[in-house]
Amino acid sequence: MAELIRSVEDEVPIFYGRFDLFDGSGLGYEAEPETAAGALLAEPDRIALGQVGIKSQAWARTAHVRMEAWDAEPPAPDEPWAEAGQVLYLSPGGNVQLCGLGVGPSGQRLLLGPPFFAYGLRAYAGPVRTQPADYDERVTEAIEEAWLLRFWPVADAAGPALREESEAGGAALARMREVFPLAPGSAAPWSKQWPALHPRPGPELPTGVTVWSSSFVHLERVPSRKAAGRFTVPQETLDSARRLEETLGDLRIDMLGNLPANIDFWAQSQLEEYATQLRVSMRIGKELNPHDAPTLRLKASSVRTVLIGPDPGSSGRAWTWAKDEDAYADVLSVDRQVIARDRIRQNTLFTGIVTILRNENDFVEVRAATEPEAARVISVERLRG
């Protein structure tokens, strides 16, 4: 029986009677989804490579969208939902986001499962909220319409892409289509092999923003004529520190790396967008590690991924130095190798295959790759010699 793994809700503006769903990897944006499958716009044969257009049913101003990831084909929902279209969605990154035409995404994302998978996508249209028009109370116009988008894994589409020797790019991406049509009797991927298709045990509390105090905020600017031998803080610096704490709060505690350069000069809207990115990054990181396997923080340049990356969900080979021969054995455990020993500094260079959970500020958090995740990496390494 199909099980709901996770869900998110988002709002997106509707322009010219449509809005779009994009792959979180940024790949597939060059697709031209113009073939209608009900309310869904895809490519011929109802295949969508990284992008799906969604036609408004009521030409409302805003779409309130619930996106769900299931571990198998889900049952039809109860009323008031009405089926509005179905396509096969090829996801290079394993996560999706919504976007209005000419408007940036909200930052909310849904983790579907492993990258380079083919997913079924079925759309359902829901209630429409209306109100009298501003220009004429006798005219009723649609303000908001509801949508339900359900995804489930259909096939592992990485095989064709892995045959490309080049890393991420058009050729590898386009070859994902070769997985269709599926061979007769082929079964969907076994979800137990992929942590990204596991629900996180127990209810997950939302990531909040707890304002943690800093003595820096309580400093006051001292007029220069009274500041002989005293420490002074410019008012602009104090204001920036307050805004950072009020906006980011406890997100800074678990953030990877340091704050971006020049963040003190960011507008409030930029800070709020960055806070949203951190919340979503932390949530997806936990969803990619549902069983709380040991993790390790590394510079993003220390991990070489295959096909795409270093994005959350992608796997690759990591390298790091350590003084202890048994260092990081619980994370760098898959195909663990000693590459070099520095006798002078008494350091050892280790390598192992990992899966990326988060990527923030040029740092990544990784865990040991599972067998099918590692198989992708090893296949490409063999191709490249």
Side-chain angles (χ1 to χ4, degrees):
M1 183 176 179
E3 181 180 2
L4 175 64
I5 305 173
R6 62 186 70 92
S7 66
V8 299
E9 297 193 12
D10 201 2
E11 286 191 352
V12 58
I14 299 173
F15 291 108
Y16 301 103
R18 68 177 281 179
F19 59 98
D20 291 276
L21 179 140
F22 290 101
D23 202 77
S25 66
L27 298 175
Y29 276 42
E30 71 281 357
E32 298 181 359
E34 297 298 337
T35 302
L40 301 181
L41 297 174
E43 300 170 73
D45 299 323
R46 297 190 176 192
I47 294 177
L49 179 56
Q51 180 182 357
V52 179
I54 303 171
K55 296 188 295 184
S56 169
Q57 299 292 279
W59 284 73
R61 300 175 186 173
T62 305
H64 181 85
V65 187
R66 176 179 171 86
M67 298 188 290
E68 297 179 347
W70 291 68
D71 65 352
E73 184 173 357
D78 297 329
E79 294 183 351
W81 300 106
E83 186 172 339
Q86 179 174 329
V87 297
L88 288 166
Y89 178 70
L90 296 167
S91 177
N95 63 89
V96 291
Q97 59 188 353
L98 300 171
C99 188
L101 186 64
V103 179
S106 69
Q108 185 61 270
R109 294 187 181 189
L110 173 69
L111 175 65
L112 305 180
F116 279 81
F117 257 46
Y119 295 91
L121 165 58
R122 190 175 295 137
Y124 298 89
V128 177
R129 182 171 67 86
T130 61
Q131 70 179 31
D134 295 335
Y135 58 86
D136 189 342
E137 292 186 354
R138 295 171 298 178
V139 177
T140 300
E141 62 179 357
I143 302 300
E144 181 182 272
E145 58 185 73
W147 285 88
L148 173 62
L149 305 179
R150 286 182 164 176
F151 298 83
W152 67 95
V154 174
D156 184 348
L162 287 170
R163 290 196 294 271
E164 272 296 325
E165 292 189 10
S166 62
E167 291 188 357
L173 187 65
R175 292 191 67 166
M176 290 180 67
R177 295 188 182 93
E178 295 180 11
V179 74
F180 299 114
L182 295 175
S186 59
W190 192 33
S191 61
K192 291 188 180 298
Q193 292 183 312
W194 300 90
L197 294 175
H198 295 187
R200 186 163 176 81
E204 181 63 34
L205 297 176
T207 302
V209 177
T210 301
V211 177
W212 50 285
S213 61
S214 167
S215 58
F216 183 65
V217 171
H218 303 299
L219 294 175
E220 296 183 359
R221 187 176 188 277
V222 180
S224 58
R225 63 178 180 272
K226 298 180 180 179
R230 300 176 65 180
F231 177 69
T232 64
V233 181
Q235 186 61 47
E236 296 80 3
T237 304
L238 288 172
D239 293 342
S240 174
R242 290 191 184 97
R243 288 197 305 122
L244 282 175
E245 292 209 4
E246 290 172 357
T247 306
L248 301 183
D250 64 336
L251 295 173
R252 294 172 62 180
I253 299 174
D254 295 321
M255 180 182 69
L256 303 181
N258 298 318
L259 288 171
N262 300 321
I263 193 172
D264 293 340
F265 303 101
W266 286 9
Q268 184 61 30
S269 59
Q270 291 177 286
L271 284 178
E272 292 172 355
E273 181 180 346
Y274 181 60
T276 298
Q277 293 174 0
L278 289 177
R279 292 190 194 98
V280 172
S281 173
M282 293 174 186
R283 171 177 57 78
I284 290 180
K286 293 177 181 177
E287 292 169 349
L288 286 167
N289 192 23
H291 306 298
D292 295 322
T295 63
L296 178 64
R297 296 187 183 190
L298 299 169
K299 289 185 178 180
S301 58
S302 298
V303 183
R304 186 188 183 193
T305 56
V306 299
L307 298 176
I308 62 169
D311 293 343
S314 61
S315 300
R317 184 171 291 279
W319 289 267
T320 187
W321 289 91
K323 292 186 178 298
D324 186 352
E325 288 278 346
D326 297 321
Y328 317 125
D330 50 355
V331 178
L332 301 180
S333 58
V334 180
D335 199 27
R336 180 182 176 90
Q337 302 174 33
V338 174
I339 302 301
R341 288 185 173 88
D342 186 334
R343 301 296 184 185
I344 297 176
R345 295 179 177 84
Q346 296 183 340
N347 277 350
T348 303
L349 179 61
F350 297 97
T351 183
I353 300 178
V354 299
T355 294
I356 293 175
L357 308 178
R358 296 160 56 192
N359 184 340
E360 301 164 12
N361 308 317
D362 297 325
F363 280 80
V364 293
E365 181 181 32
V366 302
R367 60 160 169 79
T370 62
E371 183 177 348
E373 292 170 340
R376 292 182 173 185
V377 180
I378 293 172
S379 295
V380 171
E381 289 180 341
R382 289 172 178 170
L383 284 172
R384 295 173 185 160

